[in-house]
Amino acid sequence: MPHSPEIARLLDGLNPAQGAAVMSEAMPLAILAGAGSGKTRVLTRRIAHRILADTANPSRMLALTFTRKAAGELTKRLGQLGVRERVATGTFHAIAFAQLRQWWADTNQPAPQLVESKMRLVAPLVHTRKSNAVQPVDVVSEIEWAKARLIRPENYAAAVSAIGRKPPLGVEAMAAIYTRYESEKKKRGIVDFDDLLVLCVQALETDREFAARQRWQFRHLFVDEFQDVNPAQYRLLEGWLGIEPDSEFAEGTFDLCVVGDPNQAIYAWNGADPRFLTQFSQRFGSAEVIRLDDNYRSTPQILTVADAVLGMGQRESRPLRANRPDGIVPTVTEYASDLDEARGIARAIRDRQSQRRPWSQFAVLTRTNAQALLFEEAFRAVAIPHRVRGGGMFLAQPEIKNALGELRRSPGNVPFASRIVDLDEMVAEALASGVTGAEGTNERAGNLEGLVRLANEFVGIDPTGTTSSFLQWIGGVITSRADEPDRSANLVEITTFHRAKGLEWPVVFVAGLERGYVPIGQADNQEAWDEERRLLYVAVTRAEQELHCSWAKTRTFGSRTTSRNRSPWLDNVDAARNASERPTDGDWRAQLRAIRDRAEAAKAAGVPGIRGTRNAHIQIGTNADPKVLEALKKWRAAKSRATGIPAFVIFHDTTLAAVAEAQPGSHAELLALPGVGSVKVERYGDEVIAVLAAHQASLTQAS
Ligand code: ATP
Ligand code: MG
């Protein structure tokens, strides 16, 4: 049957396997595929397809994600696909909270307050102990883990012993703190963020009318990044689907589509369990599982590194097939110190940034949040506009505080939807005020826009919600780990491996690849170690065109400077780099190597140095003589003016850098370079070689 034009358009830009995944009528459906294989693309198109084919009502659909950022991204992509209707998107917590609030209101129960700071509650419980060795933050995360695994305080000790888990302090002591934490909350009538999931499950299980209403409201469910679902979230999902608690196997149709990649499972430490994804077909009788093997994000050279990082025997699926053109071989740089690393990367970004390569195309990824600081300083010093993703800073911004204050002063019981226009006005005012920061970005307006997006998200989940409901909701959602600022501004992003999940940038710097960070020091067992490895896989697979890895030989913590060792996985990266550089017939890399070897030989023989040689750790183009590059750029600019052809079409910057570095002396040598085809050689070859020759002549004269 021929498709309608709209549906044909949806299938446009999908390969057959992706198309099949979009069109499949299976319920439930799981899509298991590697990084950059188009899972999120398929998920959004599938949602759009259901709407266009009229097999689902958009206002009854719910797309679940693990961060608000991801939820926003889904909404954006749906808009681009021409889906005008609002599809509810949100995190498990946000949806659960919205449903619970409704339930509390409908059943005349007082809504409990949310714990403002778990740390403040836990710290006194920890400090009554003699030992100061244990950090409250570790105890908090252990409690979070237990709650994610649906382990009650009374079962905690048994559960932990059964799996041989090592808590931050003795099992019994930990169980005691967990018990007291729970009773303390109960006493004060407050709940924490993780309780929301369990409370919502309980409401679904005990109040049939409530359950029926929620199942009617959201009856078509979609989940992205399903490898990171934890038992509490999964149980809630089952509750929404109407699956009996504790059932091992679900028979029948369930309108659920999940996508994920077991190789990117990085939240086991936090209670997630990728088996919900990998054993999907064992749980659902009628499940279909589709796999995708093509990668559309990264160059073959980056994928080779990614594959090596995962290592043989580690991966859960076949290696990905590359679909992008060849790119530069990823680099590994060793820096003398952490400061040098930050400055070196700042310089590298400055050098690469251009009109065609705006700041927003770069990201620096680190294993821990704290590593961001050095980069912030280094970037500030050389005026690189940047942003650190994450943190709970959003609500502390003055304009946000102000806006929420205004909402708070207004009547709380009116439908909140009518207030969004006021927020829009604040954005307009901020924009009109013209207060701009670095590179013309208006942070105030940007933050307020973030607030408007949140407001819309809230209204999508709860169309009749009131202003005070919104204020309560935002307080809960924002202080969560899911807090993610907007990404559209032209800034270099500094973020952690964890937060980078699902995202992509043309140029990615993965920094601090040292033991202690990668893998993290706490990883003292095989499972933790494997998770660290997958985490690095997530980091390197964010890169589209360039991947630059680095580590520092010394690092300063406070007043103490320590020497550091390379991450063991840098060996995998190096092996992959070597494989990418190994000569193969007709391969430009082989030819390039031949050129380099000749240059080396000439240099060794004392022939006046002309040809660039390459440092084994530095990528082609980065070693270019700036004078040569300048001469080539001048030529290109003149050519562009004369012909009306845009400069980057004549030769891309990276190509020009490669030319400047290799300094080819013939058409064949020029043709051997990445980004140079026969048409270009024919059109520009003689002139380029002439520019290089003129430069060499000037050198000879000078010496
Ligand atoms: P991750 O595992 O990192 O979340 P993913 O599998 O969700 O990755 P997407 O983000 O959906 O992958 O896609 C990766 C990139 O490839 C995106 O830029 C997307 O637009 C592009 N892409 C996906 N499929 C195709 C295709 N068939 N043709 C061209 N580009 C594609
Ligand atoms: Mg994705």
Side-chain angles (χ1 to χ4, degrees):
M1 196 183 72
H3 302 301
S4 75
E6 288 102 339
I7 293 181
R9 205 164 61 83
L10 269 187
L11 296 176
D12 209 33
L14 295 178
N15 68 31
Q18 292 175 325
V22 166
M23 303 286 283
S24 167
E25 286 173 10
M27 286 183 193
L29 172 69
I31 299 161
L32 245 100
S37 59
K39 292 183 298 297
T40 304
R41 177 182 269 213
V42 165
L43 190 78
T44 45
R45 300 227 183 171
R46 191 175 164 80
I47 292 172
H49 177 253
R50 297 278 313 260
I51 296 171
L52 291 176
D54 207 15
T55 60
N57 176 346
S59 54
R60 301 285 163 257
M61 291 175 134
L62 174 60
L64 290 151
T65 58
F66 291 86
T67 63
R68 283 212 340 278
K69 163 78 190 81
E73 181 75 24
L74 277 183
T75 307
K76 198 180 94 198
R77 291 208 201 178
L78 286 171
Q80 288 163 353
L81 290 173
V83 173
R84 282 174 303 276
E85 297 88 346
R86 167 165 296 284
V87 172
T89 57
T91 62
F92 284 87
H93 282 103
I95 308 292
F97 196 15
Q99 296 189 346
L100 277 172
R101 265 191 318 83
Q102 251 172 41
W103 185 60
W104 288 323
D106 293 350
T107 53
N108 291 320
Q109 302 179 64
Q113 284 295 311
L114 269 179
V115 170
E116 262 178 32
S117 159
K118 290 182 201 168
M119 288 281 277
R120 217 175 297 151
L121 213 58
V122 164
L125 306 178
V126 173
H127 285 145
T128 56
R129 297 173 38 81
K130 284 188 206 77
S131 152
N132 278 330
V134 55
Q135 299 283 332
V137 59
D138 293 330
V139 173
V140 166
S141 70
E142 183 67 7
I143 292 176
E144 285 175 352
W145 173 84
K147 302 189 108 172
R149 311 285 306 191
L150 294 172
I151 300 168
R152 304 275 320 142
E154 56 274 23
N155 305 330
Y156 174 80
V160 165
S161 318
I163 57 166
R165 183 181 172 86
K166 246 179 44 209
L169 71 174
V171 176
E172 294 304 328
M174 183 61 226
I177 293 182
Y178 184 14
T179 308
R180 286 202 49 199
Y181 171 75
E182 290 298 307
S183 58
E184 192 65 24
K185 274 188 310 169
K186 201 160 181 187
K187 204 171 78 196
R188 300 191 195 182
I190 53 180
V191 297
D192 69 21
F193 212 60
D194 306 305
D195 292 329
L196 298 175
L197 300 183
V198 176
L199 288 171
C200 193
V201 169
Q202 283 169 356
L204 290 166
E205 283 173 5
T206 54
D207 185 336
R208 297 181 63 161
E209 199 190 315
F210 169 72
R213 202 156 2 103
Q214 302 319 320
R215 285 170 202 153
W216 177 84
Q217 168 66 36
F218 294 130
R219 64 183 88 132
H220 318 289
L221 305 183
F222 303 82
V223 192
D224 199 358
E225 307 274 3
F226 196 64
Q227 74 278 358
D228 288 323
V229 79
N230 65 40
Q233 291 161 333
Y234 188 77
R235 181 66 210 105
L236 183 55
L237 192 64
E238 284 187 332
W240 285 330
L241 290 169
I243 297 173
E244 287 301 311
D246 302 322
S247 52
E248 290 274 293
F249 187 73
E251 201 63 75
T253 46
F254 296 97
D255 195 344
L256 167 70
C257 169
V258 304
V259 312
D261 175 9
N263 288 321
Q264 295 184 69
I266 54 174
Y267 282 99
W269 62 273
N270 209 12
D273 189 343
R275 285 174 304 181
F276 291 121
L277 176 65
T278 55
Q279 299 179 358
F280 194 77
S281 51
Q282 281 107 290
R283 280 178 178 268
F284 290 96
S286 52
E288 182 187 359
V289 177
I290 295 181
R291 290 167 203 273
L292 308 172
D293 296 321
D294 280 280
N295 173 290
Y296 291 95
R297 177 179 295 145
S298 313
T299 65
Q301 287 74 16
I302 292 169
L303 283 184
T304 305
V305 166
D307 204 40
V309 163
L310 224 39
M312 294 303 286
Q314 296 290 330
R315 61 162 47 261
E316 296 264 352
S317 52
R318 294 182 286 260
L320 288 159
R321 242 191 329 258
N323 283 270
R324 283 269 203 162
D326 269 322
I328 65 165
V329 177
T331 66
V332 174
T333 308
E334 169 191 304
Y335 289 97
S337 72
D338 48 356
L339 203 63
D340 285 351
E341 183 185 44
R343 289 177 180 158
I345 289 175
R347 207 171 317 119
I349 292 177
R350 271 224 86 98
D351 289 350
R352 281 176 175 71
Q353 186 268 351
S354 65
Q355 208 147 28
R356 292 236 319 129
R357 175 81 80 220
W359 300 115
S360 55
Q361 296 202 0
F362 299 86
V364 179
L365 309 184
T366 58
R367 174 64 182 84
T368 66
N369 281 304
Q371 286 165 267
L373 233 91
L374 270 178
F375 289 97
E376 283 183 89
E377 281 164 24
F379 287 5
R380 220 176 292 130
V382 293
I384 294 177
H386 62 276
R387 167 180 47 211
V388 182
R389 177 185 290 264
M393 297 304 291
F394 185 76
L395 289 185
Q397 301 303 314
E399 57 278 4
I400 299 298
K401 270 177 142 168
N402 193 24
L404 294 179
E406 282 209 33
L407 285 177
R408 219 164 268 128
R409 282 188 292 277
S410 72
N413 53 359
V414 297
F416 176 64
S418 62
R419 301 302 313 268
I420 292 188
V421 51
D422 300 342
L423 294 177
D424 277 324
E425 230 172 76
M426 292 184 205
V427 175
E429 259 173 40
L431 284 171
S433 77
V435 180
T436 52
E439 301 290 312
T441 56
N442 186 325
E443 283 210 357
R444 238 153 52 77
N447 283 335
L448 286 167
E449 269 162 5
L451 187 61
V452 171
R453 266 195 308 280
L454 278 168
N456 279 310
E457 193 182 315
F458 173 78
V459 172
I461 299 167
D462 188 359
T464 56
T466 59
T467 299
S468 54
S469 313
F470 170 73
L471 288 168
Q472 199 190 1
W473 178 84
I474 196 175
V477 173
I478 273 276
T479 49
S480 78
R481 209 172 297 113
D483 174 21
E484 301 288 349
D486 168 41
R487 192 186 163 205
S488 53
N490 185 18
L491 304 162
V492 175
E493 195 103 45
I494 306 169
T495 190
T496 62
F497 297 178
H498 280 103
R499 285 178 193 278
K501 193 178 63 157
L503 307 179
E504 56 192 16
W505 295 270
V507 183
V508 171
F509 292 82
V510 181
L513 290 172
E514 300 143 29
R515 277 174 190 271
Y517 279 151
V518 185
I520 199 81
Q522 298 93 290
D524 57 357
N525 59 58
Q526 189 63 45
E527 273 134 56
W529 188 274
D530 288 345
E531 181 147 299
E532 291 297 308
R533 192 196 260 275
R534 291 192 297 271
L535 194 48
L536 179 57
Y537 173 75
V538 168
V540 299
T541 51
R542 301 307 99 201
E544 296 169 10
Q545 297 162 20
E546 292 186 30
L547 170 66
H548 302 286
C549 304
S550 59
W551 69 286
K553 286 170 83 176
T554 62
R555 204 164 274 278
T556 304
F557 299 94
S559 57
R560 192 169 47 94
T561 299
T562 57
S563 67
R564 310 280 287 174
N565 296 310
R566 272 164 56 103
S567 163
W569 297 312
L570 275 179
D571 289 348
N572 302 49
V573 175
D574 277 337
R577 285 166 15 83
N578 288 334
S580 285
E581 289 193 341
R582 198 176 306 134
T584 44
D585 262 352
D587 185 339
W588 63 264
R589 283 179 224 101
Q591 299 181 34
L592 187 66
R593 175 165 291 232
I595 296 171
R596 277 202 322 264
D597 288 350
R598 277 204 305 282
E600 296 271 19
K603 200 166 138 199
V607 176
I610 31 172
R611 297 257 153 85
T613 58
R614 280 215 292 159
N615 174 319
H617 275 116
I618 305 230
Q619 187 37 59
I620 176 149
T622 55
N623 236 9
D625 178 341
K627 288 232 176 66
V628 181
L629 192 55
E630 200 182 309
L632 284 167
K633 282 192 172 163
K634 229 160 116 187
W635 163 79
R636 183 179 65 175
K639 194 83 202 159
S640 171
R641 273 195 304 278
T643 58
I645 300 172
F648 69 86
V649 175
I650 296 177
F651 278 118
H652 195 273
D653 272 356
T654 50
T655 310
L656 220 54
V659 172
E661 180 173 336
Q663 304 206 14
S666 68
H667 281 201
E669 288 177 358
L670 182 59
L671 191 60
L673 293 171
V676 185
S678 51
V679 174
K680 296 222 164 139
V681 170
E682 191 150 299
R683 206 171 278 166
Y684 308 121
D686 289 341
E687 291 184 48
V688 166
I689 290 167
V691 172
L692 295 172
H695 177 76
Q696 279 159 26
S698 73
L699 277 185
T700 318
Q701 266 170 15
S703 60

